[in-house]
Amino acid sequence: MISIIIPVYKAETFFDECVGSILAQSYGDFELILVDDGSPDKCPELCDKWAATDSRIKVIHKPNGGVSAARNSGLEIASGDYICFVDSDDTLPVNGLQALMCSMEQSNVDVVFGTFQFQYGDKLLPHASRLLEGKYLFKDVLKDFIDDGTLSGFLLGSACAALYKRKVIMANHLRFIEGLKNNEDGLFNFELALFANSFVVINTPVYNYRQDNAPSKPNRMNEKFGEKVFDILDMKEWPKDKYEYDIQKARRKVTLAWWDILHFATDYSLFKSLVFIRKKITQPNVRKGINYMRPKKMNMYKRVIFYLMRYRLCFTFYFLLKYVMPVMQKRVAR
């Protein structure tokens, strides 16, 4: 049986669609755990309403503590052999669970990772995995896990679109880090990678990731959030030299600079935006990290960004962010 855990917070507009997509799955051996994270809208009532319609649905009502705390609460009562995480405004393709479960049964690994699709209204755009379809040992990807040099962050950065063996999570006391607002999924998967043995990547869309629901899925990042992740990784005891943490950390400095530019650069006037971009891409740690990046492994979109950063083309960077990307991101697969 699969335990599906959904943290629920400010998602009443899309919540019914989310739950409906799960109940419509071609694979039906699951329990659905809805964790009301102190949502101030109608979501608590909707959770109870859904629970009254299907015996597979369990509801937890708790004070607001964030998505990590909500997922951890769900893990405490989960009884399935496998765990699947879904966000409350996203949906699953009808065969999503079936694809994950078939791969799990055939390969007998600790985790199966599928691909996902970005959802803009009724339009779905595929998002390709950075890993080719196949079976991997976690130890073989740890040198690239934190940052593989493609301006993309954690190699396996999402806990959604995945199926986990519950016994691996529980035996190693793995939980999401509470109070962290970004990268909690990547850190969870990284922690798991240190203990687990193997995983499979399937080139099958198993998850629809909604992009047009700002209240429940803020895409704005605090400019300092990356330092919190470094603090956690620095303090943690793990074989840093063996897995080339210094190189991965240098790459991640470049990735964080790109994310800061993406999220903040166009908030200002043209002059201030150019100053902001220049400040980010001329930082000494960014110039150092650029030497460890892997443009040949980047898609065309990321490769353009990389060369704009390498050659400090600030105005072209600004023009791309301001006028080109808003049009492209809803039309071109990432």
Side-chain angles (χ1 to χ4, degrees):
M1 183 176 72
I2 300 173
S3 294
I4 305 169
I5 299 173
I6 304 183
V8 183
Y9 186 76
K10 286 187 178 181
E12 64 178 34
T13 303
F14 301 106
F15 181 61
D16 285 344
E17 184 181 355
C18 171
V19 176
S21 76
I22 293 171
L23 297 182
Q25 288 295 296
S26 59
Y27 183 88
D29 187 15
F30 61 80
E31 63 175 359
L32 176 56
I33 302 172
L34 304 176
V35 185
D36 163 34
D37 190 32
S39 188
D41 54 9
K42 295 180 180 179
C43 282
E45 292 87 346
L46 292 175
C47 288
D48 293 334
K49 179 181 176 181
W50 277 109
T53 68
D54 196 308
S55 61
R56 295 173 296 179
I57 300 177
K58 301 177 181 178
V59 178
I60 298 174
H61 294 288
K62 61 179 289 297
N64 179 250
V67 63
S68 292
R71 285 173 173 170
N72 291 341
S73 295
L75 284 171
E76 294 304 320
I77 70 165
S79 59
D81 296 318
Y82 306 99
I83 301 291
C84 181
F85 298 102
V86 178
D87 287 342
S88 56
D89 52 354
D90 296 334
T91 60
L92 302 185
V94 66
N95 295 319
L97 291 181
Q98 186 75 54
L100 290 168
M101 196 64 196
C102 283
S103 181
M104 179 66 78
E105 290 175 343
Q106 291 171 5
S107 58
N108 191 31
V109 291
D110 296 318
V111 193
V112 176
F113 293 97
T115 62
F116 59 89
Q117 303 173 105
F118 289 112
Q119 182 172 355
Y120 295 92
D122 295 329
K123 187 172 183 178
L124 297 173
L125 293 177
H127 181 278
S129 171
R130 281 178 277 162
L131 292 172
L132 297 176
E133 189 169 55
K135 185 175 181 178
Y136 297 83
L137 297 178
F138 276 110
K139 67 179 183 179
D140 291 339
V141 300
L142 278 169
K143 287 184 178 180
D144 289 327
F145 204 100
I146 296 166
D147 199 298
D148 65 348
T150 64
L151 291 175
S152 303
F154 280 96
L155 185 62
L156 298 168
S158 176
C160 300
L163 187 67
Y164 299 82
K165 276 188 178 176
R166 177 172 165 268
K167 67 180 181 181
V168 176
I169 294 174
M170 305 310 287
N172 295 291
H173 309 288
L174 301 178
R175 295 296 186 271
F176 290 87
I177 299 175
E178 299 183 15
L180 194 65
K181 295 184 178 180
N182 297 103
N183 279 178
E184 65 277 1
D185 288 22
L187 287 167
F188 177 83
N189 283 338
F190 173 72
E191 183 85 7
L192 180 139
L194 295 174
F195 294 101
N197 180 42
S198 59
F199 66 97
V200 158
V201 173
I202 58 173
N203 189 26
T204 304
V206 299
Y207 196 89
N208 300 326
Y209 182 38
R210 192 180 300 277
Q211 299 292 289
D212 51 1
N213 187 21
S216 74
K217 195 182 276 112
N219 59 12
R220 302 281 294 182
M221 295 179 179
N222 184 297
E223 206 176 330
K224 299 294 185 182
F225 92 94
E227 299 304 320
K228 296 179 181 178
V229 175
F230 284 136
D231 289 344
I232 293 168
L233 293 171
D234 289 345
M235 292 172 58
K236 183 173 180 57
E237 292 186 9
W238 59 285
K240 296 181 177 67
D241 291 338
K242 180 179 179 180
Y243 296 119
E244 299 179 350
Y245 177 50
D246 287 344
I247 292 177
Q248 294 197 71
K249 190 172 183 179
R251 292 174 184 156
R252 187 170 171 82
K253 293 285 188 180
V254 181
T255 301
L256 291 174
W258 152 233
W259 287 346
D260 283 345
I261 293 169
L262 173 65
H263 287 274
F264 299 103
T266 56
D267 286 354
Y268 313 114
S269 65
L270 173 60
F271 176 76
K272 288 185 177 180
S273 292
L274 293 177
V275 170
F276 181 86
I277 293 171
R278 182 170 180 79
K279 176 184 175 182
K280 288 295 176 181
I281 64 180
T282 58
Q283 295 175 90
N285 53 25
V286 172
R287 304 318 300 173
K288 174 186 175 183
I290 278 177
N291 296 319
Y292 297 108
M293 303 303 282
R294 294 166 167 166
K296 290 183 179 180
K297 290 190 174 184
M298 299 175 187
N299 60 29
M300 184 60 67
Y301 162 71
K302 292 285 179 65
R303 200 175 301 170
V304 169
I305 299 300
F306 170 75
Y307 284 115
L308 291 176
M309 296 181 75
R310 166 173 275 185
Y311 297 112
R312 308 174 192 184
L313 301 176
C314 299
F315 182 79
T316 306
F317 213 151
Y318 174 82
F319 183 85
L320 180 72
L321 290 171
K322 186 75 173 179
Y323 300 107
V324 180
M325 282 187 57
V327 176
M328 288 182 60
Q329 68 178 358
K330 294 185 180 182
R331 299 182 181 179
V332 181
R334 296 188 232 176

